[in-house]
Coordinates of all heavy atoms in Angstrom, one line a residue:
M1 N 22.3 -9.7 -14.7 CA 22.3 -11.1 -14.7 C 23.6 -11.7 -15.1 O 24.3 -11.0 -15.9 CB 21.1 -11.7 -15.4 CG 19.8 -11.4 -14.9 SD 19.3 -12.0 -13.3 CE 19.2 -13.7 -13.7
K2 N 23.8 -12.9 -14.8 CA 25.2 -13.6 -15.1 C 25.4 -13.5 -16.7 O 26.6 -13.3 -17.1 CB 25.1 -15.0 -14.6 CG 26.4 -15.7 -14.9 CD 26.4 -17.2 -14.3 CE 27.5 -17.9 -14.5 NZ 27.5 -19.2 -14.0
D3 N 24.4 -13.7 -17.5 CA 24.6 -13.7 -19.0 C 24.9 -12.4 -19.5 O 25.2 -12.2 -20.7 CB 23.4 -14.4 -19.6 CG 22.2 -13.5 -19.5 OD1 22.1 -12.5 -18.9 OD2 21.2 -14.0 -20.0
G4 N 24.8 -11.3 -18.8 CA 25.1 -9.9 -19.3 C 23.9 -9.5 -20.2 O 24.1 -8.4 -20.8
R5 N 22.8 -10.1 -20.3 CA 21.8 -9.8 -21.3 C 20.5 -9.2 -20.6 O 19.5 -9.0 -21.2 CB 21.4 -10.9 -22.1 CG 22.5 -11.4 -23.0 CD 22.9 -10.4 -24.0 NE 24.0 -10.8 -24.9 CZ 23.8 -10.7 -26.2 NH1 22.8 -10.2 -26.7 NH2 24.9 -11.1 -26.9
S6 N 20.5 -9.1 -19.3 CA 19.4 -8.6 -18.6 C 19.9 -8.0 -17.2 O 20.9 -8.4 -16.7 CB 18.2 -9.5 -18.5 OG 18.7 -10.7 -17.8
L7 N 19.2 -7.0 -16.8 CA 19.4 -6.4 -15.5 C 18.0 -6.5 -14.7 O 17.0 -6.2 -15.2 CB 19.7 -4.9 -15.9 CG 19.8 -3.9 -14.7 CD1 21.1 -4.3 -13.9 CD2 19.7 -2.4 -15.1
L8 N 18.2 -6.9 -13.5 CA 17.1 -7.0 -12.5 C 17.1 -5.7 -11.7 O 18.2 -5.3 -11.3 CB 17.2 -8.2 -11.7 CG 17.0 -9.6 -12.3 CD1 17.2 -10.7 -11.4 CD2 15.7 -9.7 -13.1
F9 N 16.0 -5.2 -11.3 CA 15.9 -4.0 -10.5 C 14.6 -4.0 -9.7 O 13.6 -4.7 -10.2 CB 16.1 -2.7 -11.2 CG 15.0 -2.4 -12.2 CD1 14.0 -1.5 -12.0 CD2 15.2 -2.9 -13.5 CE1 13.1 -1.3 -12.9 CE2 14.2 -2.7 -14.6 CZ 13.3 -1.8 -14.2
V10 N 14.4 -3.4 -8.6 CA 13.3 -3.2 -7.9 C 12.8 -1.9 -8.0 O 13.5 -1.0 -8.0 CB 13.5 -3.5 -6.3 CG1 12.2 -3.4 -5.5 CG2 14.2 -4.9 -6.1
S11 N 11.4 -1.8 -8.3 CA 10.8 -0.5 -8.7 C 9.3 -0.6 -8.3 O 8.7 -1.6 -8.3 CB 11.0 -0.1 -10.1 OG 10.4 0.9 -10.4
N12 N 8.8 0.6 -8.0 CA 7.3 0.8 -7.9 C 6.6 1.2 -9.2 O 5.5 1.7 -9.2 CB 7.1 1.7 -6.8 CG 7.4 3.1 -7.0 OD1 8.2 3.4 -8.1 ND2 6.9 4.1 -6.3
R13 N 7.3 1.0 -10.3 CA 6.8 1.4 -11.6 C 5.4 0.9 -12.0 O 4.6 1.4 -12.8 CB 7.7 1.2 -12.8 CG 8.0 -0.3 -13.0 CD 9.1 -0.5 -14.1 NE 8.6 0.0 -15.4 CZ 9.3 0.8 -16.1 NH1 10.3 1.4 -15.7 NH2 8.7 1.2 -17.3
G14 N 5.0 -0.3 -11.4 CA 3.8 -0.9 -11.5 C 2.6 -0.6 -10.4 O 1.7 -1.2 -10.4
G15 N 3.2 0.2 -9.5 CA 2.3 0.5 -8.4 C 2.9 0.2 -7.0 O 3.4 1.0 -6.2
G16 N 3.1 -1.2 -6.7 CA 3.8 -1.6 -5.5 C 5.2 -1.9 -5.9 O 5.7 -2.0 -7.1
M17 N 6.1 -2.2 -4.9 CA 7.4 -2.4 -5.1 C 7.6 -4.0 -5.6 O 7.2 -4.9 -4.9 CB 8.2 -2.3 -3.8 CG 8.3 -0.8 -3.3 SD 9.1 0.2 -4.4 CE 10.8 -0.2 -4.2
D18 N 8.1 -4.1 -6.7 CA 8.3 -5.4 -7.4 C 9.7 -5.5 -8.1 O 10.3 -4.6 -8.3 CB 7.1 -5.7 -8.3 CG 5.9 -6.2 -7.6 OD1 6.0 -7.3 -7.0 OD2 4.9 -5.6 -7.6
V19 N 10.0 -6.8 -8.5 CA 11.2 -7.0 -9.2 C 10.9 -6.9 -10.7 O 9.9 -7.4 -11.2 CB 11.9 -8.4 -8.9 CG1 13.2 -8.6 -9.6 CG2 12.1 -8.4 -7.4
W20 N 11.8 -6.3 -11.5 CA 11.7 -6.1 -12.9 C 12.9 -6.6 -13.6 O 14.0 -6.5 -13.0 CB 11.4 -4.6 -13.2 CG 10.1 -4.1 -12.7 CD1 9.7 -3.8 -11.4 CD2 8.9 -4.0 -13.4 NE1 8.4 -3.4 -11.3 CE2 7.8 -3.5 -12.5 CE3 8.5 -4.2 -14.8 CZ2 6.5 -3.3 -12.9 CZ3 7.1 -3.9 -15.2 CH2 6.2 -3.4 -14.2
R21 N 12.7 -6.9 -14.9 CA 13.9 -7.2 -15.7 C 13.8 -6.4 -16.9 O 12.9 -6.3 -17.6 CB 13.8 -8.7 -16.2 CG 14.9 -9.1 -17.1 CD 14.8 -10.5 -17.6 NE 13.5 -11.1 -17.8 CZ 13.0 -12.2 -17.3 NH1 13.6 -12.9 -16.5 NH2 11.7 -12.5 -17.7
Q22 N 15.1 -5.9 -17.2 CA 15.2 -5.1 -18.4 C 16.3 -5.9 -19.3 O 17.4 -6.1 -18.9 CB 15.9 -3.7 -18.2 CG 16.2 -2.9 -19.4 CD 15.0 -2.6 -20.2 OE1 14.1 -1.9 -19.8 NE2 15.0 -3.1 -21.5
R23 N 15.7 -6.3 -20.5 CA 16.6 -7.1 -21.4 C 17.5 -6.1 -22.1 O 17.2 -4.9 -22.3 CB 15.8 -7.8 -22.4 CG 14.9 -8.9 -21.8 CD 14.3 -9.9 -22.8 NE 13.4 -10.8 -22.1 CZ 13.8 -11.9 -21.5 NH1 15.1 -12.2 -21.5 NH2 12.9 -12.7 -20.9
L24 N 18.8 -6.5 -22.3 CA 19.9 -5.6 -22.9 C 20.4 -6.3 -24.2 O 20.5 -7.5 -24.4 CB 21.0 -5.5 -21.8 CG 20.6 -4.9 -20.5 CD1 21.7 -5.2 -19.5 CD2 20.2 -3.6 -20.5
S25 N 20.8 -5.3 -25.0 CA 21.5 -5.8 -26.3 C 22.8 -6.2 -26.0 O 23.4 -5.9 -24.9 CB 21.4 -4.6 -27.3 OG 22.2 -3.5 -26.9
S26 N 23.6 -6.5 -27.0 CA 25.1 -6.9 -26.9 C 25.9 -5.7 -26.4 O 27.0 -5.9 -25.8 CB 25.6 -7.6 -28.1 OG 25.4 -6.7 -29.2
D27 N 25.5 -4.5 -26.9 CA 26.1 -3.2 -26.4 C 25.5 -2.6 -25.2 O 25.7 -1.4 -25.0 CB 26.3 -2.3 -27.6 CG 25.0 -1.8 -28.1 OD1 23.9 -2.5 -27.8 OD2 24.9 -0.9 -28.9
V28 N 24.8 -3.5 -24.4 CA 24.3 -3.1 -23.1 C 23.3 -1.9 -23.2 O 23.2 -1.0 -22.4 CB 25.3 -2.7 -22.1 CG1 24.7 -2.8 -20.7 CG2 26.5 -3.7 -22.2
Q29 N 22.4 -1.8 -24.3 CA 21.4 -0.9 -24.5 C 20.0 -1.6 -24.2 O 19.9 -2.8 -24.4 CB 21.4 -0.3 -25.9 CG 22.6 0.4 -26.2 CD 22.8 1.7 -25.3 OE1 21.8 2.5 -25.1 NE2 23.9 1.7 -24.7
P30 N 19.0 -0.9 -23.5 CA 17.7 -1.5 -23.4 C 17.0 -2.0 -24.6 O 17.2 -1.5 -25.6 CB 16.9 -0.3 -22.8 CG 17.9 0.6 -22.3 CD 19.0 0.5 -23.2
V31 N 16.5 -3.2 -24.4 CA 15.7 -3.9 -25.6 C 14.3 -4.0 -25.0 O 14.0 -4.9 -24.2 CB 16.3 -5.3 -25.9 CG1 15.4 -5.9 -27.0 CG2 17.8 -5.1 -26.5
G32 N 13.5 -3.2 -25.7 CA 12.0 -3.1 -25.2 C 11.9 -2.7 -23.8 O 12.9 -2.2 -23.2
P33 N 10.5 -2.7 -23.3 CA 10.3 -2.1 -22.0 C 10.5 -3.2 -21.0 O 10.8 -4.3 -21.2 CB 8.8 -1.9 -22.0 CG 8.3 -2.9 -23.1 CD 9.4 -3.0 -24.1
P34 N 10.8 -2.7 -19.6 CA 11.0 -3.6 -18.7 C 9.9 -4.6 -18.4 O 8.7 -4.2 -18.8 CB 11.2 -2.7 -17.4 CG 11.5 -1.4 -17.9 CD 10.8 -1.3 -19.2
E35 N 10.1 -5.9 -18.0 CA 9.1 -6.8 -17.8 C 9.0 -7.2 -16.3 O 10.0 -7.3 -15.6 CB 9.5 -8.1 -18.4 CG 9.9 -8.0 -19.9 CD 10.6 -9.1 -20.5 OE1 11.3 -9.8 -19.7 OE2 10.5 -9.4 -21.7
A36 N 7.8 -7.3 -15.8 CA 7.6 -7.6 -14.3 C 8.0 -9.1 -14.1 O 7.6 -9.9 -14.8 CB 6.1 -7.5 -13.9
V37 N 8.8 -9.2 -13.1 CA 9.4 -10.6 -12.7 C 8.4 -11.0 -11.4 O 8.3 -12.2 -11.3 CB 10.8 -10.5 -12.2 CG1 11.2 -11.9 -11.6 CG2 11.7 -10.2 -13.4
S38 N 7.8 -10.0 -10.7 CA 7.0 -10.4 -9.6 C 5.9 -9.3 -9.6 O 5.9 -8.3 -10.2 CB 7.7 -10.2 -8.3 OG 8.1 -8.9 -8.0
T39 N 4.8 -9.7 -9.0 CA 3.6 -8.9 -8.9 C 3.1 -9.0 -7.4 O 2.8 -10.0 -7.0 CB 2.5 -9.3 -9.8 OG1 3.0 -9.2 -11.2 CG2 1.3 -8.4 -9.8
G40 N 2.9 -7.8 -6.7 CA 2.4 -7.8 -5.5 C 3.3 -8.2 -4.4 O 2.9 -8.6 -3.3
L41 N 4.6 -8.4 -4.7 CA 5.5 -8.9 -3.8 C 5.9 -7.9 -2.7 O 6.1 -8.4 -1.6 CB 6.7 -9.3 -4.6 CG 7.8 -10.2 -3.9 CD1 7.2 -11.5 -3.5 CD2 9.0 -10.3 -4.8
E42 N 6.0 -6.6 -3.0 CA 6.5 -5.6 -2.1 C 7.9 -5.9 -1.7 O 8.2 -5.7 -0.5 CB 5.5 -5.5 -0.9 CG 4.1 -5.0 -1.2 CD 4.1 -3.5 -1.8 OE1 4.8 -2.7 -1.5 OE2 3.4 -3.3 -2.8
G43 N 8.6 -6.4 -2.6 CA 10.0 -6.6 -2.4 C 10.8 -5.3 -2.3 O 10.4 -4.3 -2.8
W44 N 11.9 -5.3 -1.4 CA 12.7 -4.2 -1.2 C 14.1 -4.4 -1.8 O 14.7 -3.4 -2.2 CB 12.7 -3.8 0.3 CG 13.1 -2.4 0.6 CD1 14.2 -2.0 1.1 CD2 12.3 -1.3 0.2 NE1 14.2 -0.6 1.4 CE2 13.1 -0.2 0.7 CE3 11.2 -1.1 -0.5 CZ2 12.7 1.1 0.5 CZ3 10.8 0.3 -0.7 CH2 11.5 1.3 -0.2
Y45 N 14.6 -5.6 -1.6 CA 15.9 -6.0 -2.2 C 15.9 -7.3 -2.8 O 15.1 -8.1 -2.3 CB 17.0 -6.0 -1.1 CG 17.2 -4.8 -0.3 CD1 16.7 -4.5 1.0 CD2 17.9 -3.7 -0.9 CE1 16.9 -3.3 1.6 CE2 18.1 -2.5 -0.2 CZ 17.6 -2.3 1.1 OH 17.7 -1.2 1.7
A46 N 16.5 -7.5 -3.9 CA 16.5 -8.8 -4.6 C 17.9 -9.1 -5.0 O 18.6 -8.4 -5.6 CB 15.5 -8.7 -5.7
T47 N 18.2 -10.5 -4.9 CA 19.6 -11.0 -5.4 C 19.3 -12.3 -6.1 O 18.7 -13.2 -5.6 CB 20.5 -11.3 -4.2 OG1 20.7 -9.9 -3.5 CG2 21.8 -11.7 -4.7
P48 N 19.8 -12.4 -7.3 CA 19.6 -13.6 -8.1 C 20.5 -14.8 -7.6 O 21.6 -14.4 -7.2 CB 19.8 -13.2 -9.5 CG 20.6 -12.1 -9.5 CD 20.3 -11.3 -8.2
S49 N 20.1 -16.0 -7.8 CA 21.0 -17.1 -7.6 C 22.1 -17.1 -8.6 O 21.9 -16.5 -9.5 CB 20.2 -18.5 -7.5 OG 19.6 -18.6 -8.8
R50 N 23.1 -17.8 -8.3 CA 24.3 -17.9 -9.4 C 23.8 -18.2 -10.7 O 24.3 -17.8 -11.7 CB 25.4 -18.7 -8.8 CG 26.2 -18.0 -7.8 CD 27.4 -19.0 -7.3 NE 28.0 -18.3 -6.3 CZ 29.3 -18.4 -6.0 NH1 30.0 -19.3 -6.6 NH2 29.9 -17.8 -4.9
D51 N 22.8 -19.3 -10.8 CA 22.4 -19.8 -12.0 C 21.3 -19.0 -12.6 O 20.8 -19.2 -13.7 CB 22.0 -21.3 -12.0 CG 20.8 -21.6 -11.1 OD1 20.2 -20.6 -10.6 OD2 20.4 -22.7 -10.8
G52 N 20.8 -17.9 -12.0 CA 19.7 -17.1 -12.5 C 18.4 -17.7 -12.5 O 17.5 -17.1 -13.1
T53 N 18.2 -18.7 -11.7 CA 16.8 -19.4 -11.7 C 16.0 -19.1 -10.5 O 14.8 -19.4 -10.4 CB 16.9 -20.9 -11.8 OG1 17.6 -21.4 -10.6 CG2 17.7 -21.4 -13.1
K54 N 16.5 -18.4 -9.5 CA 15.8 -18.1 -8.4 C 16.2 -16.6 -7.8 O 17.2 -16.1 -8.2 CB 16.1 -19.0 -7.2 CG 15.8 -20.5 -7.5 CD 16.2 -21.4 -6.3 CE 16.0 -22.9 -6.6 NZ 17.2 -23.5 -7.1
L55 N 15.4 -16.1 -7.0 CA 15.7 -14.8 -6.4 C 15.6 -14.9 -4.8 O 14.6 -15.5 -4.4 CB 14.7 -13.7 -6.9 CG 14.8 -13.1 -8.2 CD1 13.7 -12.1 -8.5 CD2 16.1 -12.4 -8.2
A56 N 16.5 -14.2 -4.2 CA 16.3 -14.0 -2.7 C 15.7 -12.6 -2.7 O 16.4 -11.6 -3.1 CB 17.6 -14.1 -2.0
V57 N 14.5 -12.5 -2.0 CA 13.9 -11.1 -1.9 C 13.7 -10.8 -0.5 O 13.1 -11.6 0.3 CB 12.6 -11.1 -2.8 CG1 11.9 -9.8 -2.6 CG2 12.8 -11.5 -4.2
A58 N 14.0 -9.5 -0.1 CA 13.7 -9.0 1.2 C 12.4 -8.2 1.1 O 12.3 -7.4 0.3 CB 14.8 -8.2 1.7
K59 N 11.4 -8.6 1.8 CA 10.1 -7.9 1.9 C 10.1 -6.8 2.9 O 10.5 -7.0 4.0 CB 9.0 -9.0 2.1 CG 7.7 -8.3 2.1 CD 6.5 -9.3 2.3 CE 5.2 -8.5 2.2 NZ 4.2 -9.4 1.7
R60 N 9.8 -5.7 2.4 CA 9.6 -4.6 3.4 C 8.3 -4.6 4.1 O 7.2 -4.8 3.5 CB 9.6 -3.2 2.5 CG 9.7 -2.0 3.4 CD 9.8 -0.7 2.6 NE 9.8 0.3 3.5 CZ 9.7 1.6 3.1 NH1 9.6 1.9 1.9 NH2 9.9 2.5 4.0
R61 N 8.5 -4.5 5.3 CA 7.2 -4.5 6.3 C 7.0 -3.2 6.9 O 8.0 -2.7 7.5 CB 7.4 -5.6 7.3 CG 7.3 -7.0 6.8 CD 7.3 -8.0 7.9 NE 6.2 -7.8 8.9 CZ 6.3 -8.1 10.1 NH1 7.3 -8.7 10.6 NH2 5.3 -7.8 11.0
A62 N 5.9 -2.7 6.8 CA 5.5 -1.5 7.5 C 5.1 -1.8 8.9 O 4.1 -2.6 9.0 CB 4.6 -0.7 6.7
I63 N 5.8 -1.4 9.9 CA 5.4 -1.6 11.3 C 4.8 -0.3 11.8 O 5.5 0.7 11.7 CB 6.6 -2.1 12.1 CG1 7.4 -3.2 11.5 CG2 6.2 -2.4 13.5 CD1 6.5 -4.5 11.5
S64 N 3.6 -0.5 12.3 CA 3.1 0.8 12.8 C 2.4 0.5 14.1 O 2.1 -0.6 14.6 CB 2.0 1.3 11.8 OG 0.9 0.4 11.5
S65 N 2.2 1.6 14.9 CA 1.6 1.5 16.2 C 0.4 2.5 16.3 O 0.4 3.6 15.4 CB 2.5 1.9 17.4 OG 3.5 1.0 17.4
L66 N -0.5 2.4 17.2 CA -1.6 3.3 17.2 C -1.4 4.3 18.4 O -0.9 3.8 19.5 CB -2.9 2.5 17.6 CG -4.2 3.2 17.4 CD1 -4.4 3.8 16.0 CD2 -5.3 2.3 17.8
W67 N -1.6 5.5 18.2 CA -1.2 6.6 19.1 C -2.5 7.4 19.4 O -3.3 7.6 18.4 CB -0.1 7.5 18.6 CG 1.2 6.7 18.5 CD1 1.5 6.0 17.4 CD2 2.4 6.9 19.2 NE1 2.9 5.5 17.6 CE2 3.4 6.1 18.7 CE3 2.7 7.6 20.4 CZ2 4.6 6.0 19.3 CZ3 3.9 7.7 20.9 CH2 5.0 6.7 20.3
R68 N -2.5 7.9 20.7 CA -3.6 8.9 20.9 C -3.1 10.3 21.0 O -2.0 10.5 21.6 CB -4.3 8.5 22.3 CG -5.4 9.5 22.7 CD -6.0 9.0 24.1 NE -5.0 9.4 25.1 CZ -4.8 8.7 26.1 NH1 -5.5 7.5 26.4 NH2 -3.8 9.0 27.1
L69 N -3.7 11.2 20.2 CA -3.4 12.6 20.2 C -4.6 13.4 20.7 O -5.7 13.2 20.2 CB -3.0 13.0 18.8 CG -1.7 12.5 18.2 CD1 -1.7 12.9 16.8 CD2 -0.5 13.0 19.0
P70 N -4.3 14.5 21.5 CA -5.4 15.4 21.9 C -5.7 16.3 20.8 O -4.9 16.7 20.0 CB -4.7 16.0 23.1 CG -3.3 16.1 22.9 CD -3.0 14.8 22.1
I71 N -7.0 16.7 20.7 CA -7.3 17.8 19.8 C -7.5 19.1 20.6 O -8.3 19.2 21.6 CB -8.7 17.5 19.1 CG1 -8.6 16.1 18.3 CG2 -9.1 18.6 18.2 CD1 -9.8 15.7 17.7
R72 N -6.7 20.0 20.3 CA -6.5 21.3 21.0 C -6.6 22.4 20.0 O -6.7 22.3 18.9 CB -5.3 21.3 21.8 CG -5.1 20.2 22.8 CD -3.9 20.5 23.6 NE -3.7 19.4 24.7 CZ -2.6 18.9 25.2 NH1 -1.5 19.3 24.8 NH2 -2.6 18.0 26.1
E73 N -6.4 23.6 20.6 CA -6.5 24.8 19.8 C -5.1 24.9 19.0 O -5.1 25.6 17.9 CB -6.5 26.1 20.7 CG -7.9 26.1 21.3 CD -9.0 26.4 20.5 OE1 -8.9 27.1 19.4 OE2 -10.0 25.6 20.6
R74 N -4.1 24.3 19.5 CA -2.7 24.3 18.8 C -2.5 22.9 18.1 O -3.1 21.9 18.6 CB -1.6 24.6 19.7 CG -1.4 23.6 20.8 CD 0.0 23.8 21.5 NE 0.1 22.9 22.6 CZ 0.4 21.7 22.4 NH1 0.7 21.1 21.3 NH2 0.6 20.9 23.5
P75 N -1.8 22.7 17.1 CA -1.5 21.4 16.5 C -0.8 20.5 17.6 O -0.1 21.0 18.4 CB -0.5 21.7 15.4 CG -0.8 23.2 15.0 CD -1.1 23.9 16.4
A76 N -1.2 19.2 17.5 CA -0.6 18.3 18.5 C 0.9 18.0 18.0 O 1.2 18.1 16.9 CB -1.4 16.9 18.4
R77 N 1.7 17.7 19.1 CA 3.1 17.4 18.8 C 3.3 15.9 19.4 O 2.5 15.4 20.1 CB 4.0 18.4 19.6 CG 3.9 19.8 19.1 CD 4.8 20.7 19.9 NE 4.6 22.1 19.5 CZ 3.9 22.9 20.0 NH1 3.2 22.6 21.1 NH2 3.8 24.2 19.6
W78 N 4.4 15.3 19.0 CA 4.8 13.9 19.4 C 4.8 13.9 20.9 O 4.5 13.0 21.7 CB 6.1 13.5 18.9 CG 5.8 12.8 17.5 CD1 6.2 13.2 16.3 CD2 5.0 11.7 17.2 NE1 5.8 12.4 15.3 CE2 4.9 11.4 15.7 CE3 4.1 10.9 18.0 CZ2 4.2 10.5 15.1 CZ3 3.3 9.9 17.3 CH2 3.4 9.6 16.0
G79 N 5.2 15.0 21.6 CA 5.3 15.0 23.1 C 3.8 15.0 23.7 O 3.7 14.6 24.9
D80 N 2.8 15.2 22.9 CA 1.5 15.1 23.4 C 0.8 13.7 23.2 O -0.2 13.3 23.7 CB 0.5 16.1 22.6 CG 0.9 17.5 22.7 OD1 1.3 17.9 23.9 OD2 0.8 18.2 21.7
A81 N 1.6 12.9 22.4 CA 1.0 11.5 22.0 C 1.3 10.5 23.1 O 2.3 10.5 23.8 CB 1.7 11.1 20.7
V82 N 0.3 9.6 23.1 CA 0.4 8.5 24.0 C 0.3 7.2 23.2 O -0.8 7.1 22.5 CB -0.7 8.4 25.1 CG1 -0.6 7.2 25.9 CG2 -0.7 9.7 26.0
Q83 N 1.3 6.3 23.3 CA 1.3 5.1 22.5 C 0.2 4.1 23.0 O 0.3 3.8 24.2 CB 2.7 4.5 22.3 CG 2.7 3.3 21.3 CD 4.2 2.8 21.0 OE1 5.1 3.4 21.6 NE2 4.3 1.9 20.3
L84 N -0.6 3.6 22.2 CA -1.7 2.6 22.6 C -1.4 1.2 22.2 O -1.9 0.3 23.0 CB -3.1 3.1 22.1 CG -3.5 4.4 22.4 CD1 -4.8 4.8 21.7 CD2 -3.7 4.7 23.9
T85 N -0.7 0.9 21.2 CA -0.3 -0.5 20.7 C 1.1 -0.7 20.7 O 1.8 0.3 20.3 CB -1.1 -0.9 19.4 OG1 -0.6 0.0 18.4 CG2 -2.6 -0.7 19.6
F86 N 1.6 -1.9 21.0 CA 3.0 -2.1 21.0 C 3.4 -3.3 20.1 O 4.6 -3.7 20.1 CB 3.5 -2.3 22.4 CG 3.4 -1.0 23.1 CD1 2.2 -0.8 24.0 CD2 4.4 -0.1 23.2 CE1 2.1 0.4 24.6 CE2 4.3 1.1 23.9 CZ 3.1 1.4 24.6
Q87 N 2.4 -4.2 19.6 CA 2.7 -5.3 18.8 C 3.1 -4.9 17.4 O 3.0 -3.8 17.0 CB 1.4 -6.1 18.6 CG 0.8 -6.6 19.8 CD -0.1 -5.6 20.5 OE1 -0.4 -4.5 20.0 NE2 -0.6 -5.8 21.8
Q88 N 4.0 -5.8 16.8 CA 4.4 -5.6 15.4 C 3.3 -5.7 14.5 O 2.7 -6.9 14.6 CB 5.6 -6.4 15.2 CG 6.8 -6.1 15.9 CD 8.1 -6.8 15.3 OE1 8.0 -7.6 14.5 NE2 9.2 -6.4 15.8
G89 N 3.0 -4.9 13.6 CA 2.0 -5.1 12.6 C 1.7 -3.8 11.9 O 2.4 -2.9 12.1
Q90 N 0.8 -3.9 11.0 CA 0.5 -2.7 10.2 C -0.9 -2.3 10.4 O -1.9 -3.1 10.2 CB 0.7 -3.1 8.7 CG 0.5 -1.8 7.8 CD 0.9 -2.1 6.4 OE1 0.9 -3.3 6.0 NE2 1.0 -1.2 5.6
I91 N -1.1 -1.2 10.9 CA -2.4 -0.7 11.2 C -2.9 0.2 10.0 O -2.2 1.2 9.7 CB -2.5 0.2 12.6 CG1 -2.1 -0.8 13.6 CG2 -3.8 0.8 12.8 CD1 -1.9 -0.2 15.0
T92 N -4.0 0.0 9.4 CA -4.4 0.8 8.3 C -5.6 1.5 8.5 O -6.0 2.3 7.8 CB -4.7 -0.1 7.0 OG1 -5.5 -1.1 7.3 CG2 -3.3 -0.9 6.6
D93 N -6.3 1.2 9.7 CA -7.6 1.8 9.9 C -7.9 1.6 11.4 O -7.5 0.6 12.0 CB -8.7 1.3 9.1 CG -10.0 2.1 9.2 OD1 -9.9 3.3 9.6 OD2 -11.0 1.5 8.9
A94 N -8.6 2.5 12.1 CA -9.0 2.5 13.5 C -10.2 3.3 13.6 O -10.4 4.3 13.0 CB -8.0 3.0 14.4
S95 N -11.1 2.8 14.5 CA -12.3 3.5 14.8 C -12.7 3.2 16.3 O -12.4 2.2 16.8 CB -13.5 3.1 13.9 OG -13.8 1.8 14.0
L96 N -13.4 4.2 16.8 CA -13.8 4.0 18.3 C -15.1 3.3 18.4 O -16.0 3.2 17.5 CB -14.0 5.4 18.9 CG -12.8 6.3 19.0 CD1 -13.2 7.6 19.5 CD2 -11.8 5.7 19.9
F97 N -15.2 2.5 19.5 CA -16.5 1.9 19.8 C -17.6 3.0 20.0 O -17.2 4.1 20.4 CB -16.4 1.1 21.2 CG -15.7 -0.1 21.2 CD1 -15.2 -0.7 22.3 CD2 -15.2 -0.7 20.0 CE1 -14.5 -1.9 22.3 CE2 -14.5 -1.8 20.0 CZ -14.0 -2.4 21.2
P98 N -18.8 2.8 19.7 CA -19.8 3.8 19.7 C -19.9 4.5 21.1 O -20.1 5.7 21.2 CB -21.2 3.0 19.4 CG -20.8 2.0 18.5 CD -19.4 1.5 19.1
D99 N -19.7 3.7 22.2 CA -19.7 4.3 23.5 C -18.4 4.9 24.0 O -18.4 5.5 25.1 CB -20.2 3.4 24.6 CG -19.2 2.1 24.7 OD1 -18.1 2.2 24.1 OD2 -19.6 1.3 25.6
G100 N -17.4 5.0 23.1 CA -16.2 5.6 23.5 C -15.2 4.8 24.3 O -14.2 5.2 24.8
S101 N -15.6 3.5 24.7 CA -14.8 2.7 25.7 C -13.6 2.0 25.1 O -12.8 1.4 25.8 CB -15.8 1.7 26.3 OG -16.3 0.8 25.2
G102 N -13.5 2.0 23.8 CA -12.4 1.2 23.2 C -12.2 1.5 21.8 O -13.0 2.4 21.1
I103 N -11.2 0.9 21.1 CA -10.8 1.2 19.8 C -11.1 -0.1 19.0 O -10.8 -1.2 19.4 CB -9.4 1.7 19.5 CG1 -9.2 3.0 20.4 CG2 -9.0 1.7 18.1 CD1 -7.7 3.4 20.4

């Protein structure tokens, strides 16, 4: 930070990716444990404003698609895969309709 008394960093030390502040002594040694500046933000990069009152944060987005893989005697390879979805988003779970007609 501008005052030279704290350092901001992005870490997953609390579980998800968040911004943390480490206070520093006059000889630039850590003072106490790091403090969370954000919670649940999933930030990837952070830059403070010149006056140190605001942060510009880039949020990391996981973009995923759903693919169909055959189950065979050998392990499936990407060459066997067929992409089923093309929208930007994060897929965390999928299940088939009971009659097998859709996902």
Side-chain angles (χ1 to χ4, degrees):
M1 296 294 292
K2 184 178 179 179
D3 66 3
R5 296 297 180 130
S6 57
L7 174 72
L8 294 178
F9 63 97
V10 177
S11 173
N12 66 347
R13 66 184 292 123
M17 296 298 284
D18 279 298
V19 180
W20 293 78
R21 175 179 40 232
Q22 176 63 63
R23 297 196 185 274
L24 303 171
S25 66
S26 59
D27 59 346
V28 196
Q29 295 300 309
V31 175
E35 306 162 337
V37 174
S38 68
T39 302
L41 190 65
E42 292 301 320
W44 201 243
Y45 300 102
T47 302
S49 61
R50 287 186 183 200
D51 66 3
T53 62
K54 299 178 187 97
L55 280 175
V57 179
K59 182 173 179 152
R60 183 177 183 190
R61 289 186 53 207
I63 305 297
S64 56
S65 298
L66 193 60
W67 297 72
R68 180 180 67 217
L69 291 171
I71 298 174
R72 300 184 176 152
E73 294 299 316
R74 65 169 176 79
R77 297 181 181 97
W78 276 117
D80 301 323
V82 176
Q83 189 170 358
L84 301 176
T85 62
F86 296 89
Q87 299 83 7
Q88 290 190 356
Q90 184 176 16
I91 298 171
T92 58
D93 190 21
S95 58
L96 295 175
F97 291 167
D99 66 1
S101 65
I103 298 172

